[in-house]
Amino acid sequence: MKVLQWFAGICLLGTLGVAQAEARPDPDLARNLAATCANCHGTNGRAVQGAGNEELAGVPKDKLLQKLRDFRSGAKPATIMHQISKGYTEAQLELVAAYFAAQK
């Protein structure tokens, strides 16, 4: 019985350690999520002039978030953005929008 209690205690400590590790926010998460946009919208949202893609750097968060939501819902037509935006949670979209809004 003591072995079972000891094992249960070790499992509980391991679970608490994992929960604490998951609770720590990744300070680079917004940047890492936004990096997926670089192929079309340029590094840090600074699009190449004349390439035909919208610059995202410095655009207000609310405006970017609304566009992302419109792409996801299909309200705004797109070739690929509707598919990409569906791959993110609402919280991730908010992080991405805030990241680009902060770029000057």
Side-chain angles (χ1 to χ4, degrees):
M1 190 60 140
K2 290 237 181 218
V3 173
L4 182 58
Q5 289 174 338
W6 177 82
F7 183 72
I10 294 298
C11 289
L12 180 61
L13 286 175
T15 303
L16 290 175
V18 169
Q20 287 177 345
E22 290 174 359
R24 283 186 233 136
D26 179 356
D28 298 323
L29 181 58
R31 183 198 65 192
N32 294 343
L33 291 170
T36 62
C37 308
N39 285 336
C40 299
H41 294 281
T43 303
N44 294 326
R46 293 179 185 85
V48 175
Q49 296 300 318
N53 291 314
E54 188 176 339
E55 185 155 307
L56 302 177
V59 175
K61 176 186 173 185
D62 292 341
K63 185 176 179 180
L64 288 174
L65 196 52
Q66 188 58 53
K67 284 185 178 186
L68 289 167
R69 288 175 179 150
D70 288 345
F71 283 129
R72 188 167 42 178
S73 72
K76 186 169 176 64
T79 55
I80 195 165
M81 279 304 301
H82 61 285
Q83 294 170 342
I84 292 172
S85 60
K86 286 180 183 178
Y88 293 98
T89 66
E90 184 66 21
Q92 289 171 327
L93 290 179
E94 288 187 27
L95 283 172
V96 170
Y99 176 82
F100 284 124
Q103 304 304 305
K104 301 295 176 192

Coordinates of all heavy atoms in Angstrom, one line a residue:
M1 N 0.8 -1.2 0.0 CA 0.0 0.0 0.0 C 0.9 1.3 0.0 O 0.5 2.2 -0.6 CB -0.9 0.0 1.2 CG -2.0 1.0 1.2 SD -3.0 0.9 -0.3 CE -4.6 1.2 0.4
K2 N 2.0 1.2 0.8 CA 2.9 2.4 0.8 C 3.4 2.7 -0.6 O 3.6 3.8 -1.0 CB 4.0 2.2 1.8 CG 3.5 2.1 3.2 CD 4.3 3.2 4.0 CE 3.8 3.1 5.4 NZ 3.8 4.4 5.9
V3 N 3.8 1.6 -1.3 CA 4.3 1.8 -2.7 C 3.3 2.5 -3.6 O 3.6 3.4 -4.3 CB 4.7 0.4 -3.3 CG1 5.1 0.6 -4.7 CG2 5.9 -0.2 -2.5
L4 N 2.0 2.1 -3.4 CA 1.0 2.7 -4.2 C 0.8 4.2 -3.9 O 0.7 5.0 -4.8 CB -0.4 2.0 -4.0 CG -1.5 2.4 -4.8 CD1 -1.3 2.4 -6.3 CD2 -2.8 1.6 -4.5
Q5 N 0.8 4.5 -2.6 CA 0.7 5.9 -2.2 C 1.9 6.7 -2.7 O 1.8 7.8 -3.1 CB 0.6 6.0 -0.7 CG -0.7 5.5 -0.1 CD -0.7 5.5 1.4 OE1 0.4 5.5 2.0 NE2 -1.9 5.5 2.0
W6 N 3.1 6.1 -2.6 CA 4.3 6.8 -3.1 C 4.2 7.1 -4.6 O 4.5 8.2 -5.1 CB 5.6 5.9 -2.8 CG 6.8 6.5 -3.3 CD1 7.6 7.4 -2.7 CD2 7.5 6.1 -4.5 NE1 8.7 7.7 -3.5 CE2 8.6 6.9 -4.6 CE3 7.2 5.2 -5.6 CZ2 9.5 6.8 -5.7 CZ3 8.0 5.2 -6.6 CH2 9.2 6.0 -6.7
F7 N 3.8 6.1 -5.3 CA 3.6 6.2 -6.8 C 2.6 7.3 -7.1 O 2.8 8.1 -8.0 CB 3.2 4.9 -7.4 CG 3.1 4.9 -8.9 CD1 4.3 5.0 -9.7 CD2 1.9 4.9 -9.5 CE1 4.2 5.1 -11.1 CE2 1.8 4.9 -10.9 CZ 3.0 5.0 -11.7
A8 N 1.5 7.3 -6.4 CA 0.5 8.3 -6.7 C 1.0 9.7 -6.4 O 0.7 10.6 -7.1 CB -0.8 8.0 -5.8
G9 N 1.8 9.8 -5.3 CA 2.4 11.1 -5.0 C 3.3 11.6 -6.1 O 3.3 12.8 -6.4
I10 N 4.2 10.7 -6.6 CA 5.1 11.1 -7.7 C 4.3 11.5 -8.9 O 4.7 12.5 -9.6 CB 6.0 9.9 -8.0 CG1 6.9 9.6 -6.8 CG2 6.8 10.1 -9.2 CD1 7.9 10.7 -6.4
C11 N 3.3 10.8 -9.2 CA 2.4 11.1 -10.4 C 1.8 12.5 -10.2 O 1.8 13.3 -11.2 CB 1.3 10.1 -10.7 SG 2.0 8.5 -11.3
L12 N 1.3 12.8 -9.0 CA 0.7 14.1 -8.7 C 1.7 15.2 -8.9 O 1.5 16.2 -9.5 CB 0.1 14.1 -7.3 CG -0.6 15.4 -6.9 CD1 -1.7 15.7 -7.8 CD2 -1.0 15.3 -5.5
L13 N 2.9 15.0 -8.4 CA 4.0 16.0 -8.5 C 4.3 16.2 -10.0 O 4.5 17.4 -10.4 CB 5.2 15.6 -7.7 CG 5.1 15.7 -6.2 CD1 6.3 15.2 -5.5 CD2 4.9 17.2 -5.8
G14 N 4.4 15.2 -10.7 CA 4.7 15.3 -12.1 C 3.6 16.1 -12.9 O 3.9 16.9 -13.7
T15 N 2.4 15.8 -12.5 CA 1.3 16.5 -13.2 C 1.3 18.0 -12.8 O 1.1 18.8 -13.7 CB -0.1 15.9 -12.7 OG1 -0.1 14.5 -13.0 CG2 -1.2 16.6 -13.4
L16 N 1.6 18.3 -11.6 CA 1.7 19.7 -11.2 C 2.8 20.4 -11.9 O 2.7 21.6 -12.3 CB 1.9 19.8 -9.6 CG 0.7 19.4 -8.8 CD1 1.1 19.5 -7.3 CD2 -0.5 20.3 -9.0
G17 N 3.9 19.7 -12.1 CA 5.0 20.3 -12.8 C 4.7 20.6 -14.2 O 5.0 21.7 -14.8
V18 N 4.0 19.7 -14.9 CA 3.5 20.0 -16.3 C 2.5 21.1 -16.3 O 2.6 22.0 -17.2 CB 2.9 18.7 -16.8 CG1 2.2 19.0 -18.2 CG2 4.0 17.6 -17.0
A19 N 1.6 21.2 -15.4 CA 0.6 22.3 -15.3 C 1.3 23.6 -15.2 O 1.0 24.6 -15.8 CB -0.4 22.0 -14.2
Q20 N 2.3 23.7 -14.3 CA 3.1 24.9 -14.1 C 3.8 25.3 -15.3 O 3.9 26.5 -15.7 CB 4.0 24.8 -12.9 CG 3.3 24.8 -11.6 CD 4.2 24.6 -10.4 OE1 5.4 24.2 -10.6 NE2 3.8 24.8 -9.2
A21 N 4.4 24.3 -16.0 CA 5.2 24.6 -17.3 C 4.2 25.2 -18.3 O 4.6 26.1 -19.1 CB 5.9 23.4 -17.7
E22 N 3.0 24.6 -18.4 CA 2.1 25.1 -19.4 C 1.5 26.4 -19.0 O 1.1 27.2 -19.9 CB 0.9 24.1 -19.5 CG 1.4 22.8 -20.2 CD 0.3 21.7 -20.2 OE1 -0.8 22.0 -19.7 OE2 0.5 20.6 -20.7
A23 N 1.5 26.8 -17.8 CA 0.9 28.0 -17.3 C 1.8 29.2 -17.7 O 1.4 30.3 -17.8 CB 0.7 28.0 -15.8
R24 N 3.1 29.0 -17.8 CA 4.0 30.1 -18.2 C 3.8 30.4 -19.6 O 4.0 29.6 -20.5 CB 5.5 29.6 -18.0 CG 5.9 29.6 -16.6 CD 7.3 29.3 -16.4 NE 7.4 28.2 -15.5 CZ 8.2 27.1 -15.6 NH1 9.0 27.0 -16.6 NH2 8.1 26.2 -14.7
P25 N 3.5 31.7 -19.9 CA 3.3 32.1 -21.3 C 4.6 32.2 -22.0 O 5.7 32.5 -21.5 CB 2.7 33.5 -21.2 CG 3.1 34.0 -19.8 CD 3.2 32.8 -18.9
D26 N 4.6 31.8 -23.3 CA 5.7 31.9 -24.1 C 5.9 33.4 -24.6 O 5.0 33.9 -25.3 CB 5.6 31.0 -25.3 CG 6.7 31.0 -26.3 OD1 7.7 31.8 -26.1 OD2 6.7 30.2 -27.3
P27 N 7.0 34.0 -24.2 CA 7.1 35.4 -24.6 C 7.3 35.6 -26.1 O 7.1 36.7 -26.6 CB 8.4 35.9 -23.9 CG 9.1 34.7 -23.6 CD 8.1 33.6 -23.5
D28 N 7.6 34.6 -26.8 CA 7.8 34.7 -28.3 C 6.7 34.1 -29.1 O 6.8 34.1 -30.3 CB 9.1 33.9 -28.7 CG 10.3 34.5 -28.0 OD1 10.4 35.8 -27.9 OD2 11.2 33.8 -27.6
L29 N 5.6 33.7 -28.4 CA 4.5 33.1 -29.1 C 3.9 34.0 -30.2 O 3.7 33.6 -31.4 CB 3.4 32.7 -28.2 CG 2.2 31.9 -28.8 CD1 2.6 30.7 -29.6 CD2 1.2 31.6 -27.7
A30 N 3.6 35.2 -29.9 CA 3.0 36.2 -30.9 C 4.0 36.3 -32.1 O 3.5 36.2 -33.3 CB 2.7 37.5 -30.3
R31 N 5.2 36.5 -31.9 CA 6.2 36.6 -33.0 C 6.3 35.4 -33.8 O 6.3 35.4 -35.0 CB 7.6 37.0 -32.4 CG 8.6 37.2 -33.5 CD 10.0 37.1 -33.0 NE 10.2 35.7 -32.6 CZ 11.3 35.3 -31.9 NH1 12.2 36.2 -31.5 NH2 11.4 34.1 -31.6
N32 N 6.3 34.2 -33.1 CA 6.4 33.0 -33.9 C 5.1 32.7 -34.7 O 5.2 32.2 -35.8 CB 6.6 31.8 -32.9 CG 7.9 31.9 -32.2 OD1 8.8 32.6 -32.6 ND2 8.1 31.2 -31.1
L33 N 3.9 33.0 -34.2 CA 2.7 32.9 -35.0 C 2.7 33.8 -36.1 O 2.3 33.5 -37.3 CB 1.5 33.1 -34.1 CG 1.2 32.1 -33.0 CD1 0.1 32.6 -32.1 CD2 0.8 30.8 -33.6
A34 N 3.1 35.1 -35.9 CA 3.2 36.1 -37.0 C 4.2 35.8 -38.1 O 4.1 36.2 -39.2 CB 3.4 37.4 -36.4
A35 N 5.2 35.0 -37.7 CA 6.2 34.6 -38.7 C 5.7 33.8 -39.9 O 6.2 33.9 -41.0 CB 7.4 33.8 -38.0
T36 N 4.5 33.2 -39.7 CA 3.9 32.4 -40.8 C 3.4 33.3 -41.8 O 3.1 32.9 -42.9 CB 2.8 31.5 -40.2 OG1 1.8 32.3 -39.7 CG2 3.3 30.5 -39.2
C37 N 3.2 34.6 -41.5 CA 2.7 35.6 -42.5 C 3.7 36.2 -43.4 O 3.4 36.9 -44.3 CB 1.9 36.7 -41.7 SG 0.7 36.1 -40.5
A38 N 5.0 36.0 -43.0 CA 6.1 36.6 -43.7 C 6.2 36.3 -45.2 O 6.6 37.2 -46.0 CB 7.4 36.3 -43.0
N39 N 5.9 35.1 -45.6 CA 6.0 34.8 -47.0 C 5.2 35.7 -47.9 O 5.7 36.0 -49.0 CB 5.6 33.3 -47.3 CG 6.6 32.3 -46.8 OD1 7.8 32.7 -46.7 ND2 6.2 31.1 -46.5
C40 N 4.1 36.1 -47.5 CA 3.2 37.0 -48.3 C 3.3 38.4 -47.9 O 3.2 39.3 -48.7 CB 1.8 36.5 -48.3 SG 1.5 34.8 -48.9
H41 N 3.3 38.7 -46.6 CA 3.2 40.0 -46.0 C 4.5 40.6 -45.6 O 4.5 41.7 -45.0 CB 2.2 40.1 -44.9 CG 0.8 39.8 -45.3 ND1 0.0 40.7 -46.0 CD2 0.1 38.6 -45.3 CE1 -1.1 40.1 -46.3 NE2 -1.1 38.8 -45.8
G42 N 5.6 40.0 -45.8 CA 7.0 40.5 -45.5 C 7.3 40.3 -44.0 O 6.5 40.0 -43.2
T43 N 8.6 40.4 -43.8 CA 9.1 40.2 -42.4 C 8.5 41.3 -41.5 O 8.5 42.5 -41.8 CB 10.7 40.3 -42.4 OG1 11.2 39.4 -43.3 CG2 11.3 40.1 -41.0
N44 N 8.0 40.9 -40.4 CA 7.4 41.7 -39.4 C 6.2 42.6 -40.0 O 5.9 43.6 -39.5 CB 8.4 42.7 -38.7 CG 9.4 41.9 -37.9 OD1 9.0 40.9 -37.3 ND2 10.6 42.3 -37.8
G45 N 5.6 42.0 -41.1 CA 4.5 42.7 -41.7 C 4.8 43.8 -42.6 O 4.0 44.6 -43.0
R46 N 6.1 44.0 -42.9 CA 6.5 45.0 -43.9 C 6.6 44.5 -45.3 O 7.6 43.9 -45.7 CB 7.9 45.6 -43.4 CG 7.8 46.3 -42.1 CD 9.1 46.9 -41.6 NE 9.0 47.4 -40.3 CZ 9.1 46.8 -39.2 NH1 9.3 45.5 -39.2 NH2 9.0 47.4 -38.0
A47 N 5.5 44.6 -46.0 CA 5.4 44.0 -47.3 C 6.3 44.7 -48.3 O 6.6 45.8 -48.2 CB 3.9 44.1 -47.8
V48 N 6.7 43.9 -49.3 CA 7.5 44.4 -50.4 C 6.6 45.2 -51.3 O 5.6 44.8 -51.7 CB 8.2 43.2 -51.2 CG1 8.9 43.7 -52.4 CG2 9.0 42.3 -50.3
Q49 N 7.1 46.4 -51.5 CA 6.3 47.4 -52.3 C 6.1 46.8 -53.7 O 7.0 46.3 -54.3 CB 7.0 48.7 -52.4 CG 7.1 49.4 -51.0 CD 5.7 49.7 -50.4 OE1 4.8 50.1 -51.1 NE2 5.6 49.4 -49.1
G50 N 4.9 46.9 -54.2 CA 4.6 46.4 -55.6 C 4.3 44.9 -55.7 O 4.0 44.4 -56.8
A51 N 4.4 44.2 -54.6 CA 4.2 42.7 -54.6 C 2.7 42.4 -54.6 O 2.4 41.2 -54.8 CB 4.9 42.1 -53.4
G52 N 1.9 43.3 -54.3 CA 0.4 43.1 -54.3 C -0.1 42.6 -53.0 O -1.3 42.3 -52.9
N53 N 0.7 42.5 -51.9 CA 0.2 42.1 -50.6 C 0.2 43.2 -49.7 O 1.0 44.1 -49.7 CB 1.0 40.9 -50.1 CG 0.8 39.7 -50.9 OD1 -0.3 39.3 -51.2 ND2 1.9 39.0 -51.2
E54 N -0.8 43.2 -48.8 CA -1.1 44.3 -47.9 C 0.0 44.3 -46.8 O 0.4 43.3 -46.3 CB -2.4 44.1 -47.2 CG -2.9 45.2 -46.4 CD -4.3 44.9 -45.9 OE1 -5.1 44.1 -46.5 OE2 -4.7 45.5 -44.9
E55 N 0.5 45.5 -46.4 CA 1.4 45.7 -45.3 C 0.6 45.6 -44.0 O -0.5 46.2 -43.9 CB 2.1 47.0 -45.4 CG 3.2 47.1 -44.3 CD 4.3 48.1 -44.7 OE1 4.9 47.9 -45.8 OE2 4.5 49.0 -43.9
L56 N 1.1 44.8 -43.1 CA 0.4 44.6 -41.8 C 1.0 45.4 -40.7 O 0.3 45.7 -39.7 CB 0.4 43.1 -41.4 CG -0.2 42.2 -42.5 CD1 0.0 40.7 -42.0 CD2 -1.6 42.5 -42.7
A57 N 2.2 45.8 -40.8 CA 2.9 46.5 -39.7 C 2.3 47.9 -39.4 O 2.0 48.6 -40.3 CB 4.4 46.8 -40.1
G58 N 1.9 48.1 -38.2 CA 1.4 49.3 -37.7 C -0.1 49.5 -37.9 O -0.7 50.5 -37.5
V59 N -0.8 48.5 -38.5 CA -2.2 48.6 -38.7 C -2.9 48.3 -37.3 O -2.5 47.4 -36.6 CB -2.7 47.5 -39.8 CG1 -4.2 47.5 -39.8 CG2 -2.1 47.8 -41.1
P60 N -3.9 49.1 -36.9 CA -4.5 48.9 -35.6 C -5.0 47.5 -35.4 O -5.5 46.8 -36.3 CB -5.7 49.9 -35.6 CG -5.3 50.9 -36.6 CD -4.5 50.2 -37.7
K61 N -4.8 47.0 -34.2 CA -5.2 45.6 -33.8 C -6.6 45.3 -34.2 O -6.9 44.3 -34.7 CB -4.9 45.4 -32.3 CG -5.3 44.1 -31.8 CD -5.2 43.9 -30.3 CE -5.8 42.6 -29.9 NZ -5.8 42.4 -28.4
D62 N -7.5 46.2 -33.8 CA -8.9 45.9 -34.1 C -9.2 45.7 -35.5 O -10.0 44.9 -35.9 CB -9.8 47.0 -33.5 CG -9.8 47.1 -32.0 OD1 -9.4 46.1 -31.3 OD2 -10.1 48.1 -31.4
K63 N -8.6 46.5 -36.4 CA -8.8 46.4 -37.8 C -8.3 45.1 -38.3 O -8.9 44.4 -39.1 CB -8.1 47.6 -38.5 CG -8.3 47.6 -40.0 CD -7.7 48.9 -40.6 CE -7.9 48.9 -42.1 NZ -7.3 50.0 -42.8
L64 N -7.1 44.7 -37.9 CA -6.5 43.4 -38.3 C -7.3 42.3 -37.8 O -7.6 41.3 -38.6 CB -5.1 43.3 -37.8 CG -4.0 44.2 -38.5 CD1 -2.7 44.0 -37.8 CD2 -3.9 43.8 -40.0
L65 N -7.7 42.3 -36.6 CA -8.5 41.3 -36.0 C -9.9 41.1 -36.8 O -10.3 40.0 -37.0 CB -8.8 41.5 -34.5 CG -9.2 40.4 -33.7 CD1 -8.3 39.1 -33.9 CD2 -9.3 40.8 -32.2
Q66 N -10.5 42.2 -37.1 CA -11.7 42.1 -37.9 C -11.5 41.5 -39.2 O -12.3 40.7 -39.7 CB -12.4 43.5 -38.0 CG -13.8 43.4 -38.6 CD -14.7 42.5 -37.8 OE1 -14.9 42.7 -36.6 NE2 -15.3 41.6 -38.4
K67 N -10.4 41.8 -39.9 CA -10.1 41.2 -41.2 C -9.9 39.7 -41.1 O -10.4 39.0 -41.9 CB -8.9 41.9 -41.8 CG -9.2 43.3 -42.4 CD -7.9 43.8 -43.1 CE -8.3 45.1 -43.7 NZ -7.1 45.6 -44.6
L68 N -9.2 39.3 -40.0 CA -8.9 37.9 -39.8 C -10.2 37.2 -39.6 O -10.4 36.1 -40.1 CB -7.9 37.7 -38.7 CG -6.5 38.1 -39.0 CD1 -5.7 38.2 -37.7 CD2 -5.9 37.2 -40.0
R69 N -11.1 37.8 -38.8 CA -12.4 37.1 -38.5 C -13.2 37.1 -39.8 O -13.9 36.1 -40.0 CB -13.1 37.9 -37.4 CG -12.5 37.8 -36.0 CD -13.2 38.7 -35.0 NE -12.7 38.5 -33.7 CZ -12.6 39.5 -32.8 NH1 -13.2 40.7 -33.1 NH2 -12.1 39.2 -31.6
D70 N -13.2 38.1 -40.6 CA -13.9 38.1 -41.8 C -13.4 37.1 -42.8 O -14.2 36.4 -43.5 CB -13.9 39.5 -42.5 CG -14.7 40.5 -41.7 OD1 -15.6 40.1 -40.9 OD2 -14.6 41.7 -42.0
F71 N -12.1 36.9 -42.8 CA -11.5 35.8 -43.7 C -12.0 34.5 -43.2 O -12.4 33.6 -43.9 CB -10.0 35.8 -43.6 CG -9.4 36.9 -44.5 CD1 -8.4 37.7 -44.0 CD2 -9.7 37.0 -45.8 CE1 -7.8 38.7 -44.8 CE2 -9.1 38.0 -46.6 CZ -8.2 38.9 -46.1
R72 N -12.0 34.3 -41.9 CA -12.3 33.0 -41.3 C -13.8 32.7 -41.5 O -14.1 31.5 -41.8 CB -12.0 33.0 -39.8 CG -12.2 31.6 -39.2 CD -11.6 31.5 -37.8 NE -11.9 32.6 -36.9 CZ -11.5 32.6 -35.7 NH1 -10.8 31.6 -35.2 NH2 -11.7 33.7 -34.9
S73 N -14.7 33.7 -41.4 CA -16.1 33.4 -41.6 C -16.5 33.3 -43.1 O -17.6 32.9 -43.4 CB -16.9 34.5 -41.0 OG -16.8 35.7 -41.7
G74 N -15.6 33.8 -44.0 CA -15.9 33.8 -45.4 C -16.6 35.1 -45.9 O -16.9 35.3 -47.0
A75 N -16.7 36.1 -44.9 CA -17.3 37.4 -45.3 C -16.4 38.2 -46.2 O -16.9 39.0 -47.0 CB -17.6 38.2 -44.0
K76 N -15.1 37.9 -46.1 CA -14.1 38.6 -46.9 C -13.5 37.6 -47.9 O -12.9 36.6 -47.4 CB -13.0 39.3 -46.1 CG -12.1 40.1 -46.8 CD -11.2 40.9 -45.8 CE -10.2 41.8 -46.5 NZ -10.7 42.8 -47.4
P77 N -13.6 37.8 -49.2 CA -13.1 36.8 -50.1 C -11.6 36.8 -50.1 O -10.9 37.8 -49.8 CB -13.6 37.3 -51.5 CG -14.0 38.7 -51.3 CD -14.3 38.9 -49.8
A78 N -11.0 35.6 -50.3 CA -9.6 35.4 -50.3 C -9.2 34.2 -51.1 O -10.0 33.3 -51.3 CB -9.1 35.3 -48.9
T79 N -8.0 34.1 -51.5 CA -7.5 32.9 -52.2 C -7.0 31.9 -51.1 O -7.2 30.7 -51.3 CB -6.3 33.2 -53.1 OG1 -5.3 33.9 -52.4 CG2 -6.8 34.1 -54.3
I80 N -6.3 32.4 -50.1 CA -5.8 31.4 -49.1 C -6.0 31.9 -47.7 O -6.0 31.1 -46.7 CB -4.3 31.2 -49.3 CG1 -3.8 29.9 -48.6 CG2 -3.5 32.4 -49.0 CD1 -2.5 29.4 -49.0
M81 N -6.3 33.1 -47.4 CA -6.4 33.6 -46.1 C -7.6 33.0 -45.3 O -7.5 32.8 -44.1 CB -6.6 35.2 -46.0 CG -5.2 35.9 -46.2 SD -4.0 35.5 -44.9 CE -4.9 35.9 -43.4
H82 N -8.6 32.6 -46.0 CA -9.7 32.0 -45.3 C -9.3 30.6 -44.7 O -9.7 30.3 -43.6 CB -11.0 31.8 -46.2 CG -10.7 31.0 -47.4 ND1 -10.1 31.4 -48.5 CD2 -11.1 29.7 -47.6 CE1 -10.0 30.5 -49.4 NE2 -10.7 29.4 -48.9
Q83 N -8.4 29.9 -45.4 CA -7.9 28.7 -44.9 C -6.9 28.9 -43.7 O -6.9 28.2 -42.7 CB -7.2 27.9 -46.0 CG -8.2 27.5 -47.1 CD -7.5 26.9 -48.3 OE1 -6.3 27.1 -48.5 NE2 -8.3 26.2 -49.1
I84 N -6.0 29.8 -43.9 CA -5.0 30.1 -42.9 C -5.7 30.6 -41.6 O -5.3 30.1 -40.5 CB -4.0 31.1 -43.4 CG1 -3.2 30.5 -44.5 CG2 -3.1 31.6 -42.3 CD1 -2.3 31.5 -45.3
S85 N -6.6 31.5 -41.7 CA -7.2 32.0 -40.5 C -8.0 31.0 -39.7 O -8.1 31.1 -38.5 CB -8.1 33.2 -40.8 OG -9.1 32.9 -41.7
K86 N -8.5 30.0 -40.4 CA -9.3 28.9 -39.7 C -8.3 28.0 -38.9 O -8.8 27.3 -38.0 CB -10.0 28.1 -40.7 CG -11.2 28.8 -41.2 CD -12.0 27.9 -42.2 CE -13.2 28.6 -42.8 NZ -13.9 27.8 -43.8
G87 N -7.0 28.1 -39.1 CA -6.1 27.3 -38.4 C -5.6 27.8 -37.1 O -4.9 27.2 -36.4
Y88 N -6.2 29.0 -36.7 CA -5.8 29.7 -35.5 C -7.0 29.8 -34.6 O -8.1 30.0 -35.0 CB -5.2 31.1 -35.7 CG -3.9 31.0 -36.5 CD1 -3.8 31.2 -37.9 CD2 -2.7 30.8 -35.8 CE1 -2.6 31.2 -38.5 CE2 -1.5 30.8 -36.5 CZ -1.5 31.0 -37.8 OH -0.3 30.9 -38.5
T89 N -6.7 29.7 -33.3 CA -7.7 30.0 -32.3 C -8.0 31.5 -32.2 O -7.2 32.3 -32.7 CB -7.3 29.5 -30.9 OG1 -6.2 30.3 -30.4 CG2 -7.0 28.0 -30.9
E90 N -9.1 31.9 -31.6 CA -9.3 33.3 -31.4 C -8.2 34.0 -30.6 O -7.8 35.1 -31.0 CB -10.7 33.5 -30.7 CG -11.1 35.0 -30.6 CD -11.4 35.7 -31.9 OE1 -11.7 35.0 -32.9 OE2 -11.4 36.9 -31.9
A91 N -7.7 33.4 -29.6 CA -6.6 34.0 -28.8 C -5.4 34.1 -29.7 O -4.6 35.1 -29.5 CB -6.3 33.1 -27.6
Q92 N -5.1 33.2 -30.5 CA -3.9 33.3 -31.4 C -4.1 34.4 -32.4 O -3.1 35.1 -32.7 CB -3.7 31.9 -32.1 CG -3.1 30.9 -31.2 CD -3.1 29.5 -31.8 OE1 -3.9 29.2 -32.7 NE2 -2.1 28.7 -31.5
L93 N -5.3 34.6 -33.0 CA -5.5 35.7 -33.9 C -5.3 37.0 -33.2 O -4.8 37.9 -33.8 CB -6.9 35.6 -34.5 CG -7.2 34.4 -35.4 CD1 -8.7 34.5 -35.9 CD2 -6.3 34.5 -36.6
E94 N -5.7 37.1 -31.9 CA -5.5 38.3 -31.2 C -4.1 38.6 -31.0 O -3.6 39.8 -31.1 CB -6.3 38.3 -29.8 CG -7.8 38.3 -30.0 CD -8.5 38.5 -28.7 OE1 -8.0 39.0 -27.7 OE2 -9.7 38.1 -28.7
L95 N -3.3 37.6 -30.7 CA -1.8 37.7 -30.5 C -1.2 38.2 -31.8 O -0.4 39.1 -31.8 CB -1.2 36.4 -30.1 CG -1.4 36.0 -28.6 CD1 -0.8 34.6 -28.4 CD2 -0.7 37.0 -27.7
V96 N -1.6 37.6 -32.9 CA -1.0 38.0 -34.2 C -1.4 39.5 -34.5 O -0.5 40.3 -34.9 CB -1.5 37.1 -35.3 CG1 -1.1 37.6 -36.7 CG2 -0.9 35.7 -35.1
A97 N -2.6 39.8 -34.4 CA -3.1 41.2 -34.6 C -2.4 42.2 -33.7 O -1.9 43.3 -34.2 CB -4.6 41.3 -34.5
A98 N -2.2 41.9 -32.5 CA -1.5 42.8 -31.6 C 0.0 42.9 -31.9 O 0.6 44.0 -31.9 CB -1.6 42.3 -30.1
Y99 N 0.6 41.8 -32.4 CA 2.0 41.8 -32.8 C 2.2 42.8 -34.0 O 3.1 43.6 -33.9 CB 2.5 40.4 -33.1 CG 3.9 40.4 -33.7 CD1 5.0 40.4 -32.8 CD2 4.1 40.4 -35.0 CE1 6.3 40.4 -33.2 CE2 5.4 40.4 -35.5 CZ 6.5 40.4 -34.6 OH 7.8 40.5 -35.1
F100 N 1.4 42.6 -35.0 CA 1.6 43.5 -36.2 C 1.2 44.9 -35.9 O 1.8 45.8 -36.4 CB 0.7 42.9 -37.3 CG 1.3 41.8 -38.0 CD1 0.6 40.6 -38.1 CD2 2.6 41.8 -38.5 CE1 1.2 39.5 -38.7 CE2 3.2 40.7 -39.1 CZ 2.5 39.5 -39.2
A101 N 0.2 45.2 -35.0 CA -0.1 46.5 -34.6 C 1.0 47.2 -33.9 O 1.2 48.4 -34.1 CB -1.4 46.5 -33.7
A102 N 1.8 46.5 -33.2 CA 3.0 47.0 -32.5 C 4.2 47.3 -33.4 O 5.1 48.0 -33.0 CB 3.4 46.1 -31.3
Q103 N 4.2 46.7 -34.6 CA 5.3 47.0 -35.5 C 5.2 48.3 -36.1 O 4.1 48.7 -36.6 CB 5.4 45.9 -36.6 CG 5.4 44.5 -36.0 CD 6.6 44.2 -35.1 OE1 7.7 44.5 -35.5 NE2 6.3 43.8 -33.9
K104 N 6.2 49.1 -36.1 CA 6.2 50.4 -36.7 C 7.1 50.6 -37.8 O 8.1 50.0 -38.0 CB 6.6 51.5 -35.6 CG 5.6 51.5 -34.4 CD 4.2 51.8 -34.8 CE 3.3 51.7 -33.6 NZ 1.9 51.8 -33.9

